[in-house]
Amino acid sequence: MIEVKIARDADTATAFITGDIDHHTARDVREQIDAYVQETRPSLLNLDFSQVQFMDSSGVGLIMGRYRIMQTLNGSVSVVNVPAHLKRLIKMSGLLALGVIKEGEV
C-alpha cells in the first residue's frame, strides 16, 4: 500500500510518499502528484522519500517524469529526505546528473 499527502507552502508543493514504490503503485502516485501540479502549478515540487520503504526502477521513472513535467511548467523538482537504503539505487540510476538530488543527500 502507498499513500501520498501533498502540502503547500507559498510556491512550493511537497509530496510526502509513504510505502513502497514499484510497478504496482507508481501509477497511483504519479496520477495524484500530476493532478495536483497541473492544478496548482508550484514553482518547486519536493518529493519527500523519508517514508519510502522500497523503490525499484518505477521510482526512478516517477522522479524523472515529475522532473519533465516541472520543466514544462518552468519549475523544478527536488527529492528530499532520501533514506539510506535507497541511496545506492539513486546513485546508480543517474538521477544525480539531473540535479534533483543534492550530492550530500545521497
Side-chain angles (χ1 to χ4, degrees):
M1 175 156 163
I2 192 141
E3 182 179 7
V4 179
K5 291 184 180 178
I6 304 174
R8 181 144 183 171
D9 180 24
D11 212 24
T12 299
T14 302
F16 297 92
I17 304 167
T18 302
D20 297 345
I21 303 173
D22 58 26
H23 69 279
H24 297 293
T25 61
R27 172 188 267 175
D28 186 43
V29 174
R30 271 194 321 266
E31 289 173 354
Q32 288 182 59
I33 293 171
D34 291 355
Y36 185 87
V37 164
Q38 291 295 336
E39 182 180 319
T40 63
R41 298 185 179 261
S43 61
L44 173 62
L45 171 64
N46 288 321
L47 301 174
D48 187 307
F49 274 50
S50 62
Q51 298 301 310
V52 174
Q53 314 304 312
F54 169 83
M55 180 178 89
D56 63 11
S57 61
S58 300
V60 173
L62 174 81
I63 295 167
M64 292 177 71
R66 291 343 89 216
Y67 171 80
R68 285 191 292 271
I69 286 172
M70 290 303 293
Q71 280 201 314
T72 66
L73 299 174
N74 294 316
S76 59
V77 67
S78 182
V79 180
V80 297
N81 301 321
V82 178
H85 63 277
L86 298 180
K87 290 181 179 182
R88 183 168 182 250
L89 173 63
I90 286 175
K91 282 182 182 179
M92 291 176 19
S93 72
L95 287 171
L96 293 178
L98 296 179
V100 299
I101 304 169
K102 306 281 186 265
E103 187 71 46
E105 274 283 318
V106 292

